Amino acid sequence: MPNFYIPITDPTWIFFLVLSIVLFAPMILERLRLPSIVGMIVAGVVIGPYGLHVLERDASFEIFGKVGLYYIMFLASLEMNLVDVWKNRNSALGFGLLSFALPFAVGVGVNLSVLNMTLPAAILVASMYAAHTLLTYPIVMRWGLSRHRAVGIAVGGTIITNILTLLVLAVVGGMFRPDADSFNLALLVGKVCLTGGLIAWSFPRICRWFFRRLDDSIVQYIFVLALVFLAAGLMEWVGMEGILGAFLVGLVLNREIPPAGPLMNHIEFVGNALFIPYFLIGVGMLINVQTMLTGWQVFFIAGVMLLTGTGGKWLSARLSQRLFRWSKAEGSIVVGLSTARAAATLAIALVGYDIIMPDGSHLLGDSILNASMLLILGSCLIASMTTERAAHHIVLSGEAKQESSGEAKDTLLVALHNPRTLIPMVNLALMLRTPSATAQLTAVSVILGDDANVRSEAQKQLDYAAKMAAAINVRMQTHCRWSVNPVTGIVHAAKESEASDILIGLHQKVTIGETFYGKFATDLLAAAGQQILLYRPLVPIYSLRRLHVVVPRKAEFDPGFRHWCHRVATLSAQISARLSVYSGSTTLDAVRNMWRTQHHTVEADYHDYSSWNDFLPLAERLRPDHLVVFIAAHKGMPSYHRYIETIPQQVERYFSARSTLIIFPARPGGAANAVADLRSGISVMQK
């Protein structure tokens, strides 16, 4: 019989209780409109040694707590949009430095004069005021402001403040390590710079090499997690706190892990479902409620900390508003995003609590630890209200630039036939898909006979494709249909699903007599009016670092110009790959303006290109982790030129060892005319 005596010691019931808290706490807190992080900490207080004493803070909370702390810092940097940060780098850098220096300087003075702390404790607690967490980021996403300039500045400022805060934490922590007698600040900075440089240089390269050879998302997840703990261990080895290494890994791998990919889904799922809640519950177990209720001292300390931290962030944002000439609403949303405290504050409180002074006391005692939890709660509430009000004002005032979905109808159909290319084809479809609720994704397999085994194998492929999409919370419709002709089957499926794009694999020649595109692609290009994408994958889509886009002159006058611009920009953003665009100067200006009009934030360089009859200069720029994208044109389109007919020969000559994507934009009249033409052609043949 299980032991139900309090405290519970049976591992089975401990884990059941923790999972129950993880399940029900967010539901209750959502009704109260409080952040779930607060619910986990409160639950830890209730069941911990200083509450009802249902559980002890045993070794499992120590281990999972360490993992959860690293996980929080890793996710905080991994989920940042570095493209928007780089676009607003000057303002972000200025705000980040000011947002750290002002609250930190004011905080040290307040801690020494008002709270009577020792100098090391005053410095450590002041770093809590300087740090902030983007806890209210989901609010700006809900209002459609994730690409707003102010949001990008706040994200960039978060990187600066968190790095500086972790450096302060590491220096103070290093001074009180067991080997503190040999502490040397200059040596520590040198070792940290060397270790950080090694991580920043080697980890992305190792990651790309690994991802190119193994595309299983579970194996990739284990590999990334190993890198996180390797970096944390290296930082601890040189005398820093491991959380700095975990945070740095998130930054350097930011471009290697697409935000909409299955790997990111696994990282977020495991962390949010297990490690992070376990850590937060363990933090709550450290809070001594009895101490808080015996007097007003904890609440006084928490009030001073909250007033100092919030006031410092407000003043930093308003000074930055004047310095960089933001609007008042932009300043308010920066205040809201930079006020909440969670990850770094928790890390500082726990590290300071674990530091034992020569007299046996904690550097940050129980009162500071308890006040820190109240600081987290109060700052999260203030930040949520401020961000909600500012986002509401920006949207209603018309200052917001809403993100464009590119087209009114956005349905991508991927034709699956070859089992060897199924995974890369579906991965590309997922990356091309517009991340919105209205975008649809359909997979089709056409069966030419009544063979039950063939149909069963085709259905297995479709089921696997749907499973890949479901892994990142994307619903993929699948159709296994019979037809007398594969082209007819695909065209009718595209018509039924109202597809705007058809993605197929680029034909692989088997005999010399075969054409480059193959009969299927050639007939489909003639029959379908939708945009056709022909893809040849040689490396995984996630490992691509640059897209070379060759655009014919006058492409801006083609009817499908806006749509392929949207697709290419979406692909670039999803895999964090830089763009190199080649065309005439007028067309390059049109492409740049189109992306600006669609509010796409892309990293791109533009090249006035004239070597249309020989792509050797372009081929010399390509590397194995590059993708070359050719924008083609149907005859009769304004951009059609005879060099487009030579693309097959030049691809075979120069790009046979490179991943290739050829895009034929939609024809005038779209899919409706194409289906009508196909039906009339079939009826004539039957007659």
Side-chain angles (χ1 to χ4, degrees), residues 513-572:
E514 289 184 313
T515 62
F516 175 78
Y517 291 118
K519 177 175 173 51
F520 169 70
T522 302
D523 292 347
L524 184 64
L525 288 169
Q530 293 90 347
Q531 179 167 277
I532 309 294
L533 303 97
L534 300 95
Y535 179 47
R536 182 179 64 192
L538 295 183
V539 298
I541 190 72
Y542 305 129
S543 64
L544 295 175
R545 296 273 57 82
R546 183 178 289 268
L547 308 182
H548 296 268
V549 186
V550 183
V551 185
R553 290 189 177 95
K554 300 182 180 180
E556 64 271 26
F557 300 109
D558 291 344
F561 173 67
R562 176 185 177 87
H563 191 63
W564 71 252
C565 280
H566 170 65
R567 287 292 186 211
V568 171
T570 300
L571 176 61
S572 171

Short mmCIF file of all heavy atoms in Angstrom, two decimals, residues 513-572:
data_model
loop_
_atom_site.label_atom_id
_atom_site.label_comp_id
_atom_site.label_asym_id
_atom_site.label_seq_id
_atom_site.Cartn_x
_atom_site.Cartn_y
_atom_site.Cartn_z
N GLY A 513 17.85 10.52 -72.78
CA GLY A 513 16.78 11.05 -73.61
C GLY A 513 15.72 11.83 -72.85
O GLY A 513 14.91 12.53 -73.47
N GLU A 514 15.69 11.74 -71.53
CA GLU A 514 14.67 12.45 -70.76
C GLU A 514 14.95 13.95 -70.72
O GLU A 514 16.11 14.38 -70.76
CB GLU A 514 14.62 11.91 -69.33
CG GLU A 514 14.03 10.52 -69.21
CD GLU A 514 13.93 10.09 -67.76
OE1 GLU A 514 14.92 10.25 -67.02
OE2 GLU A 514 12.87 9.58 -67.37
N THR A 515 13.86 14.72 -70.63
CA THR A 515 14.01 16.16 -70.49
C THR A 515 14.34 16.52 -69.04
O THR A 515 14.16 15.71 -68.13
CB THR A 515 12.73 16.89 -70.92
OG1 THR A 515 11.66 16.48 -70.06
CG2 THR A 515 12.39 16.56 -72.36
N PHE A 516 14.79 17.75 -68.83
CA PHE A 516 15.19 18.18 -67.49
C PHE A 516 14.01 18.18 -66.53
O PHE A 516 14.10 17.67 -65.42
CB PHE A 516 15.80 19.58 -67.58
CG PHE A 516 16.13 20.19 -66.25
CD1 PHE A 516 17.28 19.81 -65.57
CD2 PHE A 516 15.29 21.13 -65.66
CE1 PHE A 516 17.59 20.37 -64.34
CE2 PHE A 516 15.60 21.70 -64.44
CZ PHE A 516 16.74 21.31 -63.78
N TYR A 517 12.89 18.74 -66.95
CA TYR A 517 11.73 18.82 -66.07
C TYR A 517 10.97 17.51 -65.98
O TYR A 517 10.28 17.26 -64.98
CB TYR A 517 10.78 19.93 -66.53
CG TYR A 517 11.33 21.32 -66.37
CD1 TYR A 517 11.53 22.14 -67.47
CD2 TYR A 517 11.64 21.82 -65.12
CE1 TYR A 517 12.03 23.43 -67.32
CE2 TYR A 517 12.15 23.10 -64.95
CZ TYR A 517 12.34 23.90 -66.07
OH TYR A 517 12.84 25.17 -65.91
N GLY A 518 11.10 16.67 -66.98
CA GLY A 518 10.33 15.44 -67.01
C GLY A 518 8.92 15.69 -67.53
O GLY A 518 8.42 16.81 -67.54
N LYS A 519 8.26 14.62 -67.98
CA LYS A 519 6.95 14.76 -68.60
C LYS A 519 5.90 15.28 -67.61
O LYS A 519 5.09 16.13 -67.95
CB LYS A 519 6.51 13.41 -69.17
CG LYS A 519 5.11 13.43 -69.79
CD LYS A 519 4.77 12.12 -70.45
CE LYS A 519 3.31 12.09 -70.91
NZ LYS A 519 2.92 13.28 -71.71
N PHE A 520 5.95 14.79 -66.35
CA PHE A 520 4.94 15.20 -65.38
C PHE A 520 4.99 16.70 -65.12
O PHE A 520 3.97 17.40 -65.19
CB PHE A 520 5.14 14.43 -64.08
CG PHE A 520 4.32 14.94 -62.94
CD1 PHE A 520 2.94 14.78 -62.91
CD2 PHE A 520 4.91 15.62 -61.88
CE1 PHE A 520 2.18 15.26 -61.86
CE2 PHE A 520 4.16 16.10 -60.83
CZ PHE A 520 2.79 15.93 -60.81
N ALA A 521 6.18 17.22 -64.83
CA ALA A 521 6.30 18.65 -64.53
C ALA A 521 5.98 19.49 -65.76
O ALA A 521 5.33 20.54 -65.65
CB ALA A 521 7.70 18.96 -64.03
N THR A 522 6.41 19.05 -66.92
CA THR A 522 6.14 19.81 -68.14
C THR A 522 4.64 19.91 -68.41
O THR A 522 4.11 20.98 -68.72
CB THR A 522 6.84 19.15 -69.34
OG1 THR A 522 8.25 19.08 -69.09
CG2 THR A 522 6.60 19.94 -70.61
N ASP A 523 3.94 18.78 -68.27
CA ASP A 523 2.50 18.79 -68.49
C ASP A 523 1.78 19.61 -67.41
O ASP A 523 0.79 20.30 -67.69
CB ASP A 523 1.96 17.36 -68.50
CG ASP A 523 2.44 16.57 -69.71
OD1 ASP A 523 2.96 17.20 -70.65
OD2 ASP A 523 2.31 15.34 -69.70
N LEU A 524 2.26 19.53 -66.17
CA LEU A 524 1.63 20.28 -65.09
C LEU A 524 1.80 21.78 -65.30
O LEU A 524 0.87 22.57 -65.05
CB LEU A 524 2.23 19.87 -63.74
CG LEU A 524 1.59 20.51 -62.50
CD1 LEU A 524 0.14 20.07 -62.37
CD2 LEU A 524 2.37 20.14 -61.24
N LEU A 525 2.97 22.20 -65.76
CA LEU A 525 3.20 23.62 -66.03
C LEU A 525 2.27 24.13 -67.12
O LEU A 525 1.85 25.30 -67.10
CB LEU A 525 4.66 23.85 -66.44
CG LEU A 525 5.70 23.73 -65.31
CD1 LEU A 525 7.11 23.71 -65.89
CD2 LEU A 525 5.56 24.87 -64.33
N ALA A 526 1.94 23.26 -68.06
CA ALA A 526 1.05 23.66 -69.14
C ALA A 526 -0.41 23.66 -68.70
O ALA A 526 -1.22 24.43 -69.21
CB ALA A 526 1.23 22.73 -70.34
N ALA A 527 -0.74 22.80 -67.73
CA ALA A 527 -2.15 22.63 -67.37
C ALA A 527 -2.60 23.48 -66.20
O ALA A 527 -3.75 23.92 -66.15
CB ALA A 527 -2.43 21.15 -67.05
N ALA A 528 -1.72 23.73 -65.23
CA ALA A 528 -2.11 24.42 -64.00
C ALA A 528 -1.86 25.92 -64.10
O ALA A 528 -0.85 26.35 -64.65
CB ALA A 528 -1.36 23.84 -62.80
N GLY A 529 -2.77 26.68 -63.52
CA GLY A 529 -2.60 28.13 -63.51
C GLY A 529 -1.99 28.65 -62.22
O GLY A 529 -1.64 29.82 -62.12
N GLN A 530 -1.88 27.78 -61.20
CA GLN A 530 -1.32 28.20 -59.92
C GLN A 530 0.19 28.38 -60.02
O GLN A 530 0.84 28.00 -61.00
CB GLN A 530 -1.63 27.15 -58.84
CG GLN A 530 -3.08 27.02 -58.48
CD GLN A 530 -3.78 25.96 -59.33
OE1 GLN A 530 -3.24 25.51 -60.34
NE2 GLN A 530 -4.98 25.60 -58.93
N GLN A 531 0.75 28.94 -58.97
CA GLN A 531 2.20 29.03 -58.88
C GLN A 531 2.76 27.62 -58.66
O GLN A 531 2.32 26.90 -57.77
CB GLN A 531 2.60 29.94 -57.72
CG GLN A 531 4.10 30.08 -57.52
CD GLN A 531 4.44 31.21 -56.58
OE1 GLN A 531 4.51 32.37 -56.99
NE2 GLN A 531 4.66 30.89 -55.32
N ILE A 532 3.76 27.24 -59.45
CA ILE A 532 4.36 25.91 -59.38
C ILE A 532 5.78 26.06 -58.83
O ILE A 532 6.56 26.89 -59.30
CB ILE A 532 4.42 25.23 -60.76
CG1 ILE A 532 3.06 25.27 -61.45
CG2 ILE A 532 4.91 23.79 -60.61
CD1 ILE A 532 1.99 24.47 -60.77
N LEU A 533 6.11 25.25 -57.83
CA LEU A 533 7.44 25.25 -57.23
C LEU A 533 8.05 23.87 -57.42
O LEU A 533 7.47 22.86 -57.01
CB LEU A 533 7.39 25.59 -55.74
CG LEU A 533 6.73 26.93 -55.36
CD1 LEU A 533 5.28 26.70 -54.95
CD2 LEU A 533 7.49 27.61 -54.22
N LEU A 534 9.21 23.81 -58.05
CA LEU A 534 9.93 22.56 -58.29
C LEU A 534 11.17 22.55 -57.41
O LEU A 534 12.01 23.44 -57.51
CB LEU A 534 10.32 22.42 -59.76
CG LEU A 534 9.17 22.41 -60.78
CD1 LEU A 534 8.93 23.81 -61.34
CD2 LEU A 534 9.48 21.45 -61.91
N TYR A 535 11.28 21.54 -56.56
CA TYR A 535 12.29 21.53 -55.51
C TYR A 535 13.19 20.30 -55.63
O TYR A 535 12.70 19.18 -55.77
CB TYR A 535 11.60 21.55 -54.14
CG TYR A 535 12.52 21.52 -52.94
CD1 TYR A 535 13.62 22.38 -52.87
CD2 TYR A 535 12.27 20.66 -51.87
CE1 TYR A 535 14.44 22.37 -51.75
CE2 TYR A 535 13.09 20.65 -50.75
CZ TYR A 535 14.17 21.51 -50.70
OH TYR A 535 14.99 21.50 -49.60
N ARG A 536 14.51 20.55 -55.55
CA ARG A 536 15.48 19.46 -55.47
C ARG A 536 16.29 19.65 -54.19
O ARG A 536 17.15 20.53 -54.11
CB ARG A 536 16.42 19.46 -56.68
CG ARG A 536 17.42 18.29 -56.64
CD ARG A 536 18.32 18.28 -57.83
NE ARG A 536 19.17 19.46 -57.86
CZ ARG A 536 19.89 19.83 -58.91
NH1 ARG A 536 19.81 19.14 -60.03
NH2 ARG A 536 20.65 20.90 -58.87
N PRO A 537 16.03 18.83 -53.16
CA PRO A 537 16.76 18.97 -51.90
C PRO A 537 18.01 18.11 -51.87
O PRO A 537 17.96 16.91 -52.12
CB PRO A 537 15.72 18.47 -50.88
CG PRO A 537 14.93 17.44 -51.63
CD PRO A 537 14.94 17.84 -53.08
N LEU A 538 19.13 18.73 -51.54
CA LEU A 538 20.38 17.99 -51.34
C LEU A 538 20.88 18.10 -49.91
O LEU A 538 21.67 17.27 -49.47
CB LEU A 538 21.46 18.49 -52.31
CG LEU A 538 21.16 18.25 -53.80
CD1 LEU A 538 22.33 18.72 -54.65
CD2 LEU A 538 20.87 16.78 -54.08
N VAL A 539 20.44 19.14 -49.18
CA VAL A 539 20.73 19.27 -47.75
C VAL A 539 19.43 19.62 -47.05
O VAL A 539 18.51 20.15 -47.67
CB VAL A 539 21.81 20.36 -47.47
CG1 VAL A 539 23.13 20.00 -48.13
CG2 VAL A 539 21.33 21.73 -47.93
N PRO A 540 19.30 19.30 -45.75
CA PRO A 540 18.06 19.64 -45.04
C PRO A 540 17.76 21.13 -45.09
O PRO A 540 18.67 21.96 -45.03
CB PRO A 540 18.34 19.17 -43.60
CG PRO A 540 19.39 18.12 -43.75
CD PRO A 540 20.24 18.54 -44.91
N ILE A 541 16.49 21.46 -45.21
CA ILE A 541 16.07 22.85 -45.34
C ILE A 541 16.50 23.69 -44.15
O ILE A 541 16.82 24.88 -44.26
CB ILE A 541 14.54 22.92 -45.55
CG1 ILE A 541 14.08 24.34 -45.94
CG2 ILE A 541 13.80 22.45 -44.31
CD1 ILE A 541 14.46 24.73 -47.32
N TYR A 542 16.56 23.07 -42.94
CA TYR A 542 16.89 23.82 -41.73
C TYR A 542 18.36 24.23 -41.69
O TYR A 542 18.73 25.13 -40.94
CB TYR A 542 16.57 23.01 -40.47
CG TYR A 542 15.15 22.52 -40.42
CD1 TYR A 542 14.86 21.19 -40.17
CD2 TYR A 542 14.09 23.40 -40.63
CE1 TYR A 542 13.54 20.74 -40.13
CE2 TYR A 542 12.78 22.96 -40.59
CZ TYR A 542 12.52 21.63 -40.35
OH TYR A 542 11.21 21.19 -40.30
N SER A 543 19.21 23.55 -42.48
CA SER A 543 20.64 23.85 -42.43
C SER A 543 21.06 24.90 -43.45
O SER A 543 22.24 25.24 -43.53
CB SER A 543 21.46 22.57 -42.65
OG SER A 543 21.24 22.05 -43.95
N LEU A 544 20.12 25.41 -44.24
CA LEU A 544 20.45 26.41 -45.26
C LEU A 544 20.74 27.76 -44.60
O LEU A 544 20.01 28.19 -43.71
CB LEU A 544 19.30 26.56 -46.25
CG LEU A 544 19.00 25.32 -47.10
CD1 LEU A 544 17.76 25.56 -47.95
CD2 LEU A 544 20.18 24.97 -48.00
N ARG A 545 21.78 28.42 -45.06
CA ARG A 545 22.18 29.70 -44.47
C ARG A 545 21.94 30.89 -45.41
O ARG A 545 21.95 32.02 -44.98
CB ARG A 545 23.67 29.66 -44.08
CG ARG A 545 23.98 28.66 -43.01
CD ARG A 545 23.79 29.22 -41.61
NE ARG A 545 22.49 29.77 -41.29
CZ ARG A 545 21.43 29.05 -40.92
NH1 ARG A 545 21.51 27.76 -40.83
NH2 ARG A 545 20.29 29.63 -40.65
N ARG A 546 21.78 30.63 -46.69
CA ARG A 546 21.59 31.74 -47.63
C ARG A 546 20.76 31.27 -48.82
O ARG A 546 20.90 30.12 -49.27
CB ARG A 546 22.95 32.27 -48.12
CG ARG A 546 22.83 33.48 -49.06
CD ARG A 546 24.20 33.99 -49.46
NE ARG A 546 24.89 34.63 -48.37
CZ ARG A 546 24.85 35.93 -48.10
NH1 ARG A 546 24.11 36.73 -48.85
NH2 ARG A 546 25.53 36.42 -47.10
N LEU A 547 19.89 32.16 -49.30
CA LEU A 547 19.10 31.91 -50.50
C LEU A 547 19.56 32.86 -51.60
O LEU A 547 19.56 34.08 -51.40
CB LEU A 547 17.60 32.13 -50.23
CG LEU A 547 16.97 31.41 -49.03
CD1 LEU A 547 15.49 31.73 -48.95
CD2 LEU A 547 17.19 29.92 -49.10
N HIS A 548 19.97 32.32 -52.73
CA HIS A 548 20.34 33.12 -53.90
C HIS A 548 19.14 33.13 -54.84
O HIS A 548 18.78 32.09 -55.40
CB HIS A 548 21.56 32.54 -54.59
CG HIS A 548 22.80 32.56 -53.75
ND1 HIS A 548 23.71 33.59 -53.76
CD2 HIS A 548 23.27 31.66 -52.84
CE1 HIS A 548 24.69 33.33 -52.91
NE2 HIS A 548 24.45 32.16 -52.35
N VAL A 549 18.51 34.28 -55.02
CA VAL A 549 17.27 34.40 -55.79
C VAL A 549 17.56 35.12 -57.10
O VAL A 549 17.96 36.30 -57.09
CB VAL A 549 16.19 35.15 -54.99
CG1 VAL A 549 14.87 35.13 -55.74
CG2 VAL A 549 16.02 34.54 -53.61
N VAL A 550 17.39 34.42 -58.21
CA VAL A 550 17.63 34.99 -59.54
C VAL A 550 16.28 35.39 -60.13
O VAL A 550 15.41 34.53 -60.34
CB VAL A 550 18.34 33.97 -60.45
CG1 VAL A 550 18.64 34.61 -61.80
CG2 VAL A 550 19.63 33.48 -59.80
N VAL A 551 16.11 36.68 -60.37
CA VAL A 551 14.82 37.22 -60.80
C VAL A 551 14.96 37.82 -62.19
O VAL A 551 15.86 38.64 -62.43
CB VAL A 551 14.32 38.30 -59.82
CG1 VAL A 551 12.92 38.76 -60.21
CG2 VAL A 551 14.35 37.80 -58.39
N PRO A 552 14.10 37.45 -63.15
CA PRO A 552 14.18 38.05 -64.49
C PRO A 552 13.78 39.52 -64.48
O PRO A 552 12.98 39.95 -63.63
CB PRO A 552 13.21 37.20 -65.31
CG PRO A 552 12.23 36.67 -64.31
CD PRO A 552 13.02 36.47 -63.05
N ARG A 553 14.33 40.27 -65.38
CA ARG A 553 13.94 41.68 -65.49
C ARG A 553 12.45 41.78 -65.83
O ARG A 553 11.90 40.92 -66.49
CB ARG A 553 14.76 42.38 -66.58
CG ARG A 553 16.22 42.58 -66.22
CD ARG A 553 16.88 43.48 -67.27
NE ARG A 553 18.27 43.77 -66.96
CZ ARG A 553 19.29 43.09 -67.44
NH1 ARG A 553 19.07 42.10 -68.28
NH2 ARG A 553 20.52 43.41 -67.12
N LYS A 554 11.82 42.85 -65.35
CA LYS A 554 10.40 43.14 -65.55
C LYS A 554 9.50 42.15 -64.82
O LYS A 554 8.30 42.08 -65.09
CB LYS A 554 10.04 43.16 -67.04
CG LYS A 554 10.79 44.21 -67.85
CD LYS A 554 10.35 44.20 -69.30
CE LYS A 554 11.12 45.25 -70.10
NZ LYS A 554 10.70 45.26 -71.53
N ALA A 555 10.05 41.39 -63.85
CA ALA A 555 9.22 40.45 -63.10
C ALA A 555 8.16 41.18 -62.29
O ALA A 555 7.13 40.58 -61.95
CB ALA A 555 10.10 39.61 -62.18
N GLU A 556 8.39 42.44 -61.97
CA GLU A 556 7.42 43.18 -61.18
C GLU A 556 6.10 43.41 -61.91
O GLU A 556 5.09 43.77 -61.30
CB GLU A 556 8.00 44.54 -60.75
CG GLU A 556 8.30 45.49 -61.90
CD GLU A 556 9.71 45.33 -62.45
OE1 GLU A 556 10.27 44.22 -62.33
OE2 GLU A 556 10.24 46.32 -63.02
N PHE A 557 6.10 43.19 -63.25
CA PHE A 557 4.87 43.36 -64.03
C PHE A 557 4.10 42.05 -64.19
O PHE A 557 3.00 42.06 -64.75
CB PHE A 557 5.21 43.93 -65.41
CG PHE A 557 5.90 45.27 -65.35
CD1 PHE A 557 7.24 45.39 -65.69
CD2 PHE A 557 5.22 46.41 -64.94
CE1 PHE A 557 7.89 46.62 -65.63
CE2 PHE A 557 5.86 47.64 -64.88
CZ PHE A 557 7.20 47.75 -65.22
N ASP A 558 4.65 40.94 -63.72
CA ASP A 558 3.96 39.66 -63.80
C ASP A 558 2.83 39.61 -62.77
O ASP A 558 2.95 40.17 -61.67
CB ASP A 558 4.93 38.50 -63.53
CG ASP A 558 5.94 38.34 -64.65
OD1 ASP A 558 5.71 38.90 -65.74
OD2 ASP A 558 6.96 37.65 -64.43
N PRO A 559 1.74 38.91 -63.07
CA PRO A 559 0.61 38.85 -62.12
C PRO A 559 0.96 38.12 -60.82
O PRO A 559 0.33 38.37 -59.79
CB PRO A 559 -0.47 38.10 -62.90
CG PRO A 559 0.25 37.37 -63.98
CD PRO A 559 1.42 38.22 -64.35
N GLY A 560 1.93 37.21 -60.83
CA GLY A 560 2.27 36.47 -59.61
C GLY A 560 3.43 37.05 -58.83
O GLY A 560 3.94 36.40 -57.91
N PHE A 561 3.84 38.28 -59.16
CA PHE A 561 5.02 38.88 -58.53
C PHE A 561 4.86 39.00 -57.01
O PHE A 561 5.73 38.60 -56.24
CB PHE A 561 5.26 40.27 -59.15
CG PHE A 561 6.35 41.06 -58.48
CD1 PHE A 561 7.68 40.66 -58.56
CD2 PHE A 561 6.06 42.22 -57.77
CE1 PHE A 561 8.68 41.38 -57.94
CE2 PHE A 561 7.05 42.96 -57.16
CZ PHE A 561 8.37 42.54 -57.25
N ARG A 562 3.74 39.52 -56.57
CA ARG A 562 3.52 39.72 -55.13
C ARG A 562 3.56 38.39 -54.38
O ARG A 562 4.13 38.30 -53.28
CB ARG A 562 2.18 40.42 -54.92
CG ARG A 562 1.79 40.61 -53.45
CD ARG A 562 0.38 41.19 -53.33
NE ARG A 562 -0.02 41.31 -51.93
CZ ARG A 562 0.24 42.36 -51.16
NH1 ARG A 562 0.92 43.38 -51.65
NH2 ARG A 562 -0.15 42.38 -49.89
N HIS A 563 2.98 37.36 -54.99
CA HIS A 563 2.86 36.09 -54.30
C HIS A 563 4.20 35.39 -54.12
O HIS A 563 4.51 34.89 -53.03
CB HIS A 563 1.89 35.18 -55.05
CG HIS A 563 1.50 33.96 -54.28
ND1 HIS A 563 0.81 34.03 -53.09
CD2 HIS A 563 1.72 32.64 -54.51
CE1 HIS A 563 0.61 32.81 -52.63
NE2 HIS A 563 1.16 31.95 -53.47
N TRP A 564 5.02 35.34 -55.17
CA TRP A 564 6.31 34.66 -54.98
C TRP A 564 7.24 35.48 -54.07
O TRP A 564 8.06 34.89 -53.35
CB TRP A 564 6.97 34.31 -56.31
CG TRP A 564 7.54 35.41 -57.16
CD1 TRP A 564 7.04 35.89 -58.32
CD2 TRP A 564 8.77 36.13 -56.93
NE1 TRP A 564 7.84 36.89 -58.82
CE2 TRP A 564 8.92 37.05 -57.99
CE3 TRP A 564 9.73 36.11 -55.94
CZ2 TRP A 564 10.00 37.91 -58.09
CZ3 TRP A 564 10.81 36.97 -56.02
CH2 TRP A 564 10.95 37.87 -57.08
N CYS A 565 7.10 36.79 -54.09
CA CYS A 565 7.87 37.61 -53.14
C CYS A 565 7.51 37.23 -51.70
O CYS A 565 8.39 37.11 -50.84
CB CYS A 565 7.59 39.10 -53.37
SG CYS A 565 8.49 39.83 -54.75
N HIS A 566 6.22 37.04 -51.47
CA HIS A 566 5.77 36.65 -50.12
C HIS A 566 6.31 35.28 -49.74
O HIS A 566 6.78 35.08 -48.60
CB HIS A 566 4.24 36.64 -50.10
CG HIS A 566 3.66 36.04 -48.86
ND1 HIS A 566 3.81 36.60 -47.61
CD2 HIS A 566 2.93 34.90 -48.68
CE1 HIS A 566 3.20 35.83 -46.71
NE2 HIS A 566 2.67 34.81 -47.34
N ARG A 567 6.27 34.32 -50.67
CA ARG A 567 6.76 32.97 -50.37
C ARG A 567 8.25 32.97 -50.06
O ARG A 567 8.71 32.34 -49.10
CB ARG A 567 6.48 32.03 -51.54
CG ARG A 567 5.04 31.64 -51.72
CD ARG A 567 4.54 30.77 -50.60
NE ARG A 567 3.19 30.28 -50.87
CZ ARG A 567 2.30 30.03 -49.95
NH1 ARG A 567 2.59 30.22 -48.67
NH2 ARG A 567 1.10 29.58 -50.27
N VAL A 568 9.04 33.65 -50.86
CA VAL A 568 10.49 33.67 -50.65
C VAL A 568 10.83 34.35 -49.33
O VAL A 568 11.69 33.88 -48.58
CB VAL A 568 11.18 34.38 -51.84
CG1 VAL A 568 12.66 34.61 -51.53
CG2 VAL A 568 11.04 33.55 -53.11
N ALA A 569 10.16 35.46 -49.02
CA ALA A 569 10.43 36.15 -47.76
C ALA A 569 10.02 35.29 -46.57
O ALA A 569 10.72 35.27 -45.54
CB ALA A 569 9.68 37.49 -47.74
N THR A 570 8.91 34.58 -46.69
CA THR A 570 8.47 33.69 -45.61
C THR A 570 9.48 32.59 -45.38
O THR A 570 9.83 32.27 -44.23
CB THR A 570 7.09 33.09 -45.94
OG1 THR A 570 6.14 34.15 -46.10
CG2 THR A 570 6.64 32.15 -44.84
N LEU A 571 9.97 31.97 -46.45
CA LEU A 571 10.98 30.92 -46.33
C LEU A 571 12.24 31.44 -45.67
O LEU A 571 12.81 30.81 -44.78
CB LEU A 571 11.30 30.35 -47.71
CG LEU A 571 12.40 29.29 -47.77
CD1 LEU A 571 12.02 28.07 -46.94
CD2 LEU A 571 12.67 28.88 -49.22
N SER A 572 12.68 32.63 -46.08
CA SER A 572 13.88 33.23 -45.50
C SER A 572 13.70 33.48 -44.01
O SER A 572 14.61 33.20 -43.21
CB SER A 572 14.19 34.54 -46.22
OG SER A 572 15.21 35.25 -45.56
#
